[in-house]
Each structure stands twice: as structure tokens, then as C-alpha cells.
Amino acid sequence: MSDALLKIENLTRYFDVSKPWLNRMLEREEKQFLTAVADVSFEIKRGETFALVGESGSGKSTIAKMVVGLIGASEGTITFDGHNMTGTAGAEMRDLRRRFQMIFQDPFASLNPRWRVGDIIAEPIHTFGLLKGAQVTNRVGELLDTVGLSAKDAEKFPHEFSGGQRQRIAIARALSSKPEFIVCDEPTSALDVSVQAQILNLMKDLQDEMGLTYLFISHDLSVVRHMANRIGVLYLGSLVEVADGKKLFSEPQHPYTRMLLDAVPDLALSGRRRKPVEGEIPNPINPPSGCAFHPRCPLVMPRCKVDPPHRVETPTGYAACFALEKQPA
Amino acid sequence: MTDALLSVRNLRVEFPTRRGVLTAIDDVSFDIMPGEVLGVVGESGAGKSLTGAAIIGLLEPPGRIAGGEILLKGQRIDNLGAEAMRRIRGKRIGMVFQDPLTSLNPLYTVAQQLIETIRTHADISEAEARKRAVALLDRVGIPAAKRRIDDYPHHFSGGMRQRVVIALALCAEPELVIADEPTTALDVSVQSQIIDLIKEICAERGAAVMLITHDMGVIAETADRVAVLYSGRMAEIGPVTQVITAPEHPYTVGLMGSIPTLTQDHARLVAIPGAMPRLNAIPQGCPFNPRCEHAFDRCFAERPEPLRRGDRRRVACWLYDEVSTVEQEKANV
């Protein structure tokens, strides 16, 4: 347990989506809450890539934002290298903040169009007071070099770069404070496949060189399979299964994981007959009782409609499903 | 070739700008047979959507068709007037766009939109049209269609909205459906439902489909043939199984290598260096030459013509020029 860099326990986040007070009074409505993340726990070990997959609305990005502290948690704790982040503030928090960074999905929105690339990359260096004067310029040049751009590009503005190059700039910025841990929120979703491959390769290389730990968030299962050591599958804010990278694909345990894998279009032209996927993700404001997946689940039992399932050990990791519990071990 | 449903010949689309004319699509030719599913893939900016827009006459000015012709069952449709084109669009060529929210009018109920479209193309009473609309919604898999038909688009989820759009595209029983990234805005589990639906319904009605997407997986599962576009040029076209398992154009080879798969293990992905050139900086010769590891002198000087490779396949790459001539000579002997 001591090698866990990030530990998340019972993390929950509600959003208040009620109508304004006057409307509630006139229409006699209760306050409404949307549970974006419900009781999620997992650990990320030093040097590994942990991926979260799920469809839209499953809470992937909300977890990412809570991990880096962009939004607070409603309940639960996030522990980074032994420090409880929900309780820290001030100088101690500042020191922790240097050690984790984030790469966002859209490189067209995450870089300030009025800043030169050099200033964008140097901002974390200045913020944390890591280097001064000419050292900063050198470091920026080095970083640009690391991500496959040239030191001369520091003078340019973001609009002079293509999507893939901008994502490289975002990576250089994330690396500039010498972090140990990077949260990547859909880093390649806005890119074309040939460029996506370049960025994924770059991220893997950087991980090997610098021993980085990634929390990798994506909706693309094949990308996740390529990148991750361990994978967590989210459905409606709950973690339904966690398994070792490739095993999730060869031996999916939870019925939702199986359905998701079945739905992915196949490049191998195996001509397999896909099982038709049933239904859609329900409204998260009024999630189904018991197991949130029960209306779509082929293995549904009466118990699933009443009780939320507990975490059970599986050969590949753990999952939250009553159907798996029943099987003799 | 005469029995092709849609035939695009040497299509050229230009955008006149203050800094000169940009050629977005250059010399693209292909046929779609009745009942066939043709996939069109390429990266953003390759001209996939523009090709679709040019076919149904929805190019945004100042974009214009500067050359070539488009034939629907042997009749030219690229030079028709706005009114004549409007009658073809919807009636003979249906359209499914990427974002189901923007292709439906938020101020009208689904019933109003469907009935209007049906009655525009068929001379039937409102009650009759309504009956047909309900049947259609039922067919595209909307539960309780009778009740839900009076809902507004915002009452539907993304996947359901896309089903409504498909119903809308199919209501005049078109011979060709152009689906422009129909599943890009949807989640994987819903995506597979929509793809199956498009495939089933079109097969059932004998409609041909031109499926524009950037997702090779979708193409592999759906299309009969696939056309790969690069920088507004056709790089390769051929039967899906051949193009995917044995790509020939270096761009297609790179594209296939850069896609992580669910079944194979790669330590590293084969990335194509660089990015697609901008329209104002397309290099001379083959547009792919700066990124191509096999490029030789001829690639920098001459534009490669689509070379015939086998019965149904064409590849625009000089690498195959000699080979194909040698083969032709062999065949003649």
C-alpha cells in the first residue's frame, strides 16, 4: 500500500441543479441534486497509468477535476503521496500542487491565444518560483525540444500551430514544473488518428524517461487499452469494475464492461455478430434504485433493483455486481 | 459503370479567397452502386464533408464546384437550379448530419417536422402523413412512437434524436442516403445501435449509403467499399476487406498502423510524422510527399493518377506505377 501515489476513498460529488428559490416555492418543488460521482475508491501506484473509461455523463472528468483540485469533493478523501488533499491549504498545498499537473482535452481552448508559447510554458516555472532569468528560457527551450518542437517556437503564438502541436505545447507546460503525476483528460479526443498516435507515443516515451504517473481519462477503449496498466470502468458515477489493462478486454467481468466491449466497432473484420445494446444511460438526476445498471443488464436479479452492489474480488481485479458475487469462487 | 446510382467525375471544389483560390477537393472520382455502402474516411480537412455537401448542392458560398460532374442515375445534378436541386434533396438523396441537435428545429415538434417533410415529397393528407410518420419512428426504434411523436427535439436523448434524424432522412424513401459523421457525437454503446439501424434500414429499402466518418472501425463494420481522402485528393479506393487488411497507399498504411486495436498488442503505434498540409500550402506533386517514407523524385514533381489495382481498386501512388504496367504487359501476353 505504501507505493500508492494517489489514493481515492469514497469520493462523491453532488451538483445542486435545483431551480431558483422563487420557482421552487411557487412550483412546490424540492431541491434537486445530480450525483456526478458516487462513492468511488481506487489507488494509483507510482509509475503506472491508471485509466478511467466511461460514456458521457459517467463522471470521468469530474473525478479528474477533483483530483487536481479544480473543484472540491462533496464527500470522501483524496490522498496524494500520504498528504490528505482535502485538509491541506496554503504553503503546503502549493508545494503539493507543483507535483501534479493536468492536460486538457481541447488544445484550442486550453492555451491562451494572446500569450506567446514561451510564456505559456514558463508560467508554472514562474508561479512556483523554480528558476530565474535566462535559466527559464533555457528550460523552455529544453521542454519544447522534449515534446518534439523546436526552441524557436517559443516566440510564436498558439494559432500558428496545428492541433497536435498545440497538444505538445500543453504537454510541455504540464512538464515544466517537474511533476510526478499528470492527469490527462481526453488528451487525444480532439485530434486525428495519425496525430493521436504521435501524442500517445510521446506520452509513453515521457513516462519511461521521467517515471511519470498518469491518470488517463478517455472514452476510447482502444486508446485506453494501448496506454493503461490498470483500468477503471465508470457507469453513472460509480466505479463498476477495475481490472488489469489487457485482462479487462480478454476477461471482462461486469455486464456493463461486456456490453461496452461488444459495442466497439471492430477493425479485425471478424464478422462477429454483435449483441444489440439495450437502452441508454438513464438520467443521473433520477438514477435507478439499487444497481444503476439494472434496467439495461441482461443478468438482472430482484436484488439488483433494491440494494447497491458491493465490491467483490474478481480474477482480474474487482467489480461491483451481485451476479459475480453468486458465482462460487 | 453505366448502372451506377451516383457517379462523381473529376470533382473539383474551390474557395476563392482574397489571397487566391484554395482548391479543397481536386479531381475526385467515384461511383456508388444501388444498395451499396461506400465509406469515406480521412482526417479533418481532408474534404470528406465537402464532397457530401457538393453532391447535394449544399456548399457554403464562396465554395463552388469548379469542375467535374455529378450524375445521379445518369442525370447531371451539379448544374441544376436551386428549385430543381431542392426537389432532389430529401426526395432522392437523404441526409443525416453529425449533430442531431442542430439538424432538428427546436421550435417544432417531431410530428410537425416529419409530416411537413413527408407532405413536401408526397401528395397525401395530413392524417395519412401522420400515420406514416408514426410507422417510421417505430421502425427506427423509438419506443411509444405514437405518444412521443408530439414531443419536441429537446425531450429526446442524443441517440433518440439521431434516430429521429434518420427517420427524417428516410421519409421520402430516397435512393441514396449521405450520412456525415452520424455517430461522432454519440457514445459507443449508442453508436453501435445507430450504425446497425442505418445498415438495416438501408438494406431493407435498397437505398445506397455514403458514410462519411473518421472512424475506421465504423467503416470496417458497415461499408462495402471505402474511399480514403487526403488533402482533398483520393488516395485509395477499394473493397473494405482489401483496404483494411492490405492497405497499399502509404497514407492508408500509416493510418491503419496508427489506430490502436482491441485485439493486438503494440509497444508503440506507427505514427505518421507531421500533419496534413493546409489548403494554401499543398506541396507540388503528391500531397502526401512530405510525410511519406517511400517518396522519390517523381512524387515531388508529378501528381499521381489513381492507378488501377485489380478489378475494383484504385491507388493514387507512383510506387505502384511500374508494377501495374508490368502486370498489364503480362496480362496482354
Side-chain angles (χ1 to χ4, degrees):
Chain A
M1 285 296 168
S2 57
D3 58 348
L5 181 64
L6 186 85
K7 197 170 172 187
I8 285 176
E9 281 168 301
N10 309 99
L11 190 66
T12 301
R13 171 74 206 202
Y14 311 110
F15 288 104
D16 188 344
V17 289
S18 323
K19 289 180 180 168
W21 176 81
L22 188 62
N23 289 59
R24 286 207 309 274
M25 290 299 118
L26 293 173
E27 293 160 23
R28 293 171 198 281
E29 279 182 18
E30 298 285 305
K31 273 200 153 197
Q32 280 193 322
F33 291 94
L34 183 154
T35 311
V37 176
D39 201 17
V40 167
S41 308
F42 61 87
E43 279 181 11
I44 305 180
K45 294 192 196 77
R46 226 173 266 280
E48 82 170 348
T49 302
F50 184 86
L52 285 174
V53 277
E55 298 177 86
S56 29
S58 61
K60 308 183 292 290
S61 295
T62 310
I63 293 181
K65 285 180 190 159
M66 283 192 284
V67 168
V68 291
L70 285 176
I71 52 176
S74 304
E75 282 163 34
T77 52
I78 303 170
T79 319
F80 180 78
D81 199 17
H83 304 269
N84 183 348
M85 296 218 290
T86 32
T88 7
E92 200 188 341
M93 187 64 194
R94 212 179 145 76
D95 197 43
L96 278 181
R97 281 250 163 113
R98 184 195 63 75
R99 298 170 56 192
F100 52 85
Q101 285 289 336
M102 184 157 176
I103 301 167
F104 295 90
Q105 172 171 0
D106 185 357
F108 293 85
S110 66
L111 305 176
N112 189 335
R114 290 161 192 268
W115 282 27
R116 289 182 194 277
V117 166
D119 298 329
I120 292 174
I121 297 175
E123 194 186 12
I125 303 177
H126 291 302
T127 309
F128 294 111
L130 301 175
L131 296 168
K132 282 204 179 77
Q135 284 177 304
V136 178
T137 327
N138 287 342
R139 174 88 179 121
V140 168
E142 258 172 52
L143 284 165
L144 280 169
D145 210 39
T146 320
V147 298
L149 296 170
S150 107
K152 277 182 260 163
D153 291 331
E155 292 302 309
K156 295 186 184 163
F157 286 98
H159 73 260
E160 297 174 61
F161 296 92
S162 68
Q165 289 171 321
R166 283 182 207 218
Q167 203 58 295
R168 287 173 192 268
I169 295 169
I171 293 174
R173 172 178 60 184
L175 293 175
S176 66
S177 69
K178 297 199 172 163
E180 296 149 49
F181 176 58
I182 298 183
V183 176
C184 321
D185 188 4
E186 306 256 12
T188 59
S189 308
L191 307 176
D192 281 311
V193 267
S194 72
V195 180
Q196 163 176 294
Q198 295 169 11
I199 299 295
L200 294 180
N201 282 343
L202 174 67
M203 290 179 61
K204 273 201 151 179
D205 292 346
L206 292 173
Q207 183 170 37
D208 293 344
E209 277 166 43
M210 308 185 187
L212 295 168
T213 308
Y214 290 135
L215 171 59
F216 191 93
I217 287 168
S218 178
H219 67 277
D220 188 332
L221 286 162
S222 45
V223 168
V224 161
R225 182 178 186 274
H226 180 70
M227 292 297 288
N229 304 107
R230 284 195 311 136
I231 300 169
V233 183
L234 285 168
Y235 183 74
L236 270 184
S238 318
L239 203 54
V240 296
E241 178 168 359
V242 173
D244 289 337
K246 311 274 188 270
K247 287 207 179 123
L248 182 83
F249 296 88
S250 54
E251 303 159 46
Q253 303 289 322
H254 196 280
Y256 175 66
T257 317
R258 289 186 210 165
M259 191 199 83
L260 205 59
L261 287 178
D262 227 32
V264 181
D266 189 4
L267 253 184
L269 290 168
S270 51
R272 76 196 154 118
R273 188 71 208 125
R274 271 195 270 124
K275 249 180 272 158
V277 173
E278 299 288 328
E280 297 182 20
I281 295 195
N283 185 344
I285 297 175
N286 279 313
S289 60
C291 172
F293 187 58
H294 84 251
R296 302 170 78 184
C297 183
L299 307 174
V300 62
M301 300 180 282
R303 196 176 161 197
C304 304
K305 295 175 186 165
V306 190
D307 300 319
H310 318 287
R311 174 189 285 206
V312 285
E313 297 285 324
T314 63
T316 56
Y318 51 87
C321 182
F322 287 124
L324 295 172
E325 213 167 58
K326 259 174 71 179
Q327 287 165 1
Chain B
M1 285 298 164
T2 44
D3 53 352
L5 172 67
L6 182 90
S7 189
V8 175
R9 296 265 152 270
N10 309 95
L11 181 69
R12 186 180 167 88
V13 172
E14 289 181 348
F15 286 81
T17 66
R18 265 182 289 174
R19 290 187 198 161
V21 176
L22 299 179
T23 309
I25 295 176
D26 198 355
D27 203 16
V28 166
S29 306
F30 59 87
D31 288 323
I32 301 180
M33 298 293 155
E36 179 187 50
V37 181
L38 176 78
V40 178
V41 275
E43 296 174 75
S44 23
K48 312 183 292 289
S49 297
L50 268 182
T51 312
I55 291 170
I56 50 164
L58 286 180
L59 279 181
E60 299 252 344
R64 55 153 202 250
I65 298 179
E69 46 189 40
I70 300 167
L71 304 148
L72 184 65
K73 282 214 173 138
Q75 179 207 353
R76 264 189 90 162
I77 56 167
D78 55 303
N79 53 2
L80 290 179
E83 184 53 29
M85 195 60 220
R86 201 177 64 85
R87 250 176 271 133
I88 287 181
R89 197 185 304 138
K91 171 100 185 115
R92 299 184 60 192
I93 305 180
M95 193 75 200
V96 178
F97 293 99
Q98 173 171 357
D99 184 355
L101 193 54
T102 49
S103 39
L104 292 169
N105 189 330
L107 298 178
Y108 290 96
T109 63
V110 166
Q112 286 168 317
Q113 303 187 41
L114 275 167
I115 292 169
E116 186 197 346
T117 318
I118 293 172
R119 294 191 70 198
T120 310
H121 297 297
D123 188 22
I124 52 175
S125 72
E126 175 140 2
E128 188 81 9
R130 195 185 162 86
K131 226 185 259 167
R132 213 189 267 185
V134 172
L136 256 170
L137 285 186
D138 209 39
R139 180 61 197 90
V140 294
I142 290 182
K146 220 172 196 157
R147 191 163 46 81
R148 299 220 61 187
I149 192 168
D150 289 310
D151 283 349
Y152 286 89
H154 73 262
H155 288 124
F156 292 88
S157 68
M160 287 295 160
R161 263 181 228 142
Q162 197 62 295
R163 287 170 195 265
V164 173
V165 175
I166 292 171
L168 212 49
L170 288 171
C171 63
E173 312 235 322
E175 299 148 65
L176 174 69
V177 174
I178 298 179
D180 187 357
E181 305 264 8
T183 58
T184 309
L186 307 174
D187 280 313
V188 243
S189 68
V190 182
Q191 166 178 310
S192 67
Q193 296 171 354
I194 297 295
I195 291 172
D196 288 348
L197 181 68
I198 293 179
K199 235 168 116 174
E200 264 174 48
I201 293 194
C202 292
E204 191 179 289
R205 307 187 171 214
V209 184
M210 177 171 159
L211 179 70
I212 299 168
T213 176
H214 65 274
D215 189 334
M216 265 293 189
V218 171
I219 295 275
E221 291 224 336
T222 320
D224 302 312
R225 282 192 307 142
V226 57
V228 183
L229 291 182
Y230 186 79
S231 272
R233 276 87 167 158
M234 179 84 71
E236 182 163 2
I237 183 169
V240 159
T241 36
Q242 288 180 22
V243 173
I244 285 181
T245 50
E248 293 195 328
H249 195 285
Y251 173 64
T252 325
V253 175
L255 198 62
M256 296 307 304
S258 58
I259 303 169
T261 63
L262 284 180
T263 41
Q264 281 161 309
D265 290 326
H266 312 265
R268 282 176 70 84
L269 297 168
V270 189
I272 313 175
M276 203 164 67
R278 292 181 188 189
L279 285 181
N280 55 6
I282 294 178
Q284 234 213 324
C286 173
F288 189 59
N289 68 39
R291 303 173 75 185
C292 181
E293 51 179 336
H294 305 291
F296 57 102
D297 298 347
R298 195 174 178 190
C299 305
F300 295 96
E302 268 178 274
R303 254 277 302 278
E305 295 297 318
L307 301 167
R308 204 165 269 288
R309 304 271 297 152
D311 272 357
R312 303 175 60 200
R313 197 163 183 193
R314 276 177 293 151
V315 179
C317 179
W318 288 130
L319 280 180
Y320 297 101
D321 194 25
E322 277 173 357
V323 186
S324 43
T325 43
V326 171
E327 273 173 3
Q328 266 169 12
E329 278 162 18
K330 267 188 207 159
N332 291 339
V333 173

